[in-house]
Amino acid sequence: MKPLYSLAILFFTLLASACTQTDNRGTMAEGQRMKVLTTTSILKDAVVNIAGDAAEVESVMGSGVDPHLYKATQGDLQKMMDADMIVYNGLYLEGKMGEVLEKLSRQKTVVVATASIPKDKLRASAQYANSNDPHVWFDVQLWQEVVKHVSQQMQEKDPANAEVYKQNTQAYLQELDELNQWVAQQIQTIPEQQRILITAHDAFGYFGDAYSIKVRGLQGISTVSEFGLQDVSSLVKYIVENKIKAVFVESSVSPKAIEAVVVGCRERGHEVEIGGTLYSDALGEDGTPEGTYTGMVRHNVTTIVSALR
């Protein structure tokens, strides 16, 4: 069966199931443990920090999964139907799945994690008209807004554990405050003329705006778009002209694009190295430092600073 037909069948199956369900948007019953399903591993980590042991948390996508290209499965459908609350990023990060979840919100508690971020703080997409860059987690302060919004929704859904969620959120926000200060300090140690970040796709725009580093990606904000020879040539020219010494691959994106850029620079007499692997749209493996949001951010910043400084 072709993927397009599979997605269509999944879409209509989910809608049909939602139509036959009772309205489950009310608060949790006393003594019932809330089941929260997130789309991405990054969102799962946020919910785990808010919930502690008070809720059961699962994500649709695991480590290293590109949410731009992810196709929902029948197993995902069952998880959605079983969850008491579903949390997704929004801003078209999840593509067609976002449309499915929007429909499902008529019968189930569905939270758009980025909904509380003021419009003037969102980056406009140069790739898609009337849309915004979804990669808000690369600005730690914006991610704090996400955490506060999701926490508030969890407190309203599960009032019996509201105080637990509130206290955990306050502790986590303090940790994120410290992380934000550390990132800013580390990036400032890179000489200003060398503060240019080249990656496979344009996921680090918020990072660049927040921490004063120029950012260029070979592909646009979504990996759905293809890169061409003109894109490679333009980026090669930029790297050579600015004497950039390192570029970066991403854990959830094929390295072929950046490898082509490295070859192109070499052909023009400029040696540029791959400075390391950055986590962009997904966390690292569970049980590793990079498997948490704070660990992922620290890994990325340490890798960038080591290569560019």
Side-chain angles (χ1 to χ4, degrees):
M1 184 179 291
K2 293 182 179 179
L4 183 60
Y5 294 145
S6 298
L7 184 62
I9 290 172
L10 179 66
F11 178 83
F12 288 116
T13 302
L14 183 57
L15 290 186
S17 300
C19 290
T20 58
Q21 272 200 329
T22 55
D23 192 329
N24 293 320
R25 290 176 292 179
T27 58
M28 299 295 298
E30 188 77 27
Q32 185 181 6
R33 192 164 183 242
M34 182 164 65
K35 294 181 180 179
V36 183
L37 179 70
T38 69
T39 51
T40 68
S41 58
I42 299 174
L43 280 169
K44 177 186 175 183
D45 182 73
V47 175
V48 166
N49 276 281
I50 295 166
D53 295 326
E56 182 181 328
V57 188
E58 189 176 5
S59 65
V60 173
M61 306 173 210
S63 61
V65 175
D66 184 347
H68 301 289
L69 302 176
Y70 186 78
K71 296 293 189 296
T73 67
Q74 287 288 344
D76 297 333
L77 167 62
Q78 190 59 52
K79 290 177 184 178
M80 291 177 194
M81 302 314 299
D82 291 344
D84 298 303
M85 173 183 282
I86 301 172
V87 183
Y88 74 107
N89 189 84
L91 302 177
Y92 298 103
L93 177 73
E94 293 92 350
K96 292 291 183 183
M97 190 189 295
E99 297 177 20
V100 173
L101 293 172
E102 188 176 339
K103 300 290 186 184
L104 189 59
S105 67
R106 299 170 185 172
Q107 298 292 330
K108 189 176 288 288
T109 302
V110 178
V111 177
V112 183
T114 55
S116 67
I117 299 177
K119 293 294 183 184
D120 61 355
K121 291 187 178 180
L122 293 173
R123 299 181 75 245
S125 168
Q127 189 177 3
Y128 302 106
N130 303 316
S131 63
N132 299 102
D133 183 345
H135 304 89
V136 297
W137 54 88
F138 283 118
D139 178 341
V140 178
Q141 289 184 310
L142 286 185
W143 196 241
Q144 288 178 301
E145 295 299 318
V146 168
V147 169
K148 285 187 280 189
H149 175 62
V150 173
S151 176
Q152 184 61 41
Q153 298 302 308
M154 290 174 64
Q155 290 173 51
E156 293 176 8
K157 178 71 176 178
D158 186 15
N161 288 301
E163 189 58 33
V164 172
Y165 300 149
K166 185 177 180 180
Q167 290 180 7
N168 287 346
T169 300
Q170 290 173 343
Y172 189 48
L173 290 174
Q174 178 61 43
E175 185 179 348
L176 294 181
D177 273 335
E178 295 169 3
L179 178 67
N180 182 61
Q181 294 172 17
W182 178 83
V183 174
Q185 291 167 356
Q186 290 298 306
I187 295 301
Q188 289 301 309
T189 66
I190 305 172
E192 188 172 358
Q193 68 274 15
Q194 294 169 216
R195 227 175 281 160
I196 304 175
L197 176 63
I198 306 291
T199 60
H201 86 295
D202 196 11
F204 291 82
Y206 289 104
F207 183 81
D209 292 345
Y211 305 110
S212 302
I213 180 169
K214 294 178 182 178
V215 174
R216 287 283 296 265
L218 182 59
Q219 293 172 268
I221 61 171
S222 173
T223 53
V224 172
S225 63
E226 297 288 339
F227 68 92
L229 288 176
Q230 187 175 350
D231 299 311
V232 174
S233 298
S234 176
L235 190 55
V236 166
K237 184 173 181 289
Y238 181 81
I239 292 170
V240 172
E241 288 176 351
N242 288 276
K243 299 183 170 118
I244 297 168
K245 63 179 185 177
V247 295
F248 301 87
V249 296
E250 299 173 34
S251 63
S252 56
V253 181
S254 170
K256 291 181 181 179
I258 287 298
E259 289 169 353
V261 170
V262 171
V263 171
C265 290
R266 187 176 300 128
E267 290 173 349
R268 294 190 57 171
H270 177 69
E271 287 295 329
V272 61
E273 65 179 19
I274 293 180
T277 300
L278 305 180
Y279 293 91
S280 54
D281 291 338
L283 299 181
E285 295 290 339
D286 287 342
T288 67
E290 297 81 11
T292 67
Y293 172 75
T294 56
M296 176 269 286
V297 172
R298 288 184 181 276
H299 165 88
N300 283 353
V301 171
T302 300
T303 301
I304 291 166
V305 171
S306 296
L308 297 183
R309 187 173 62 185

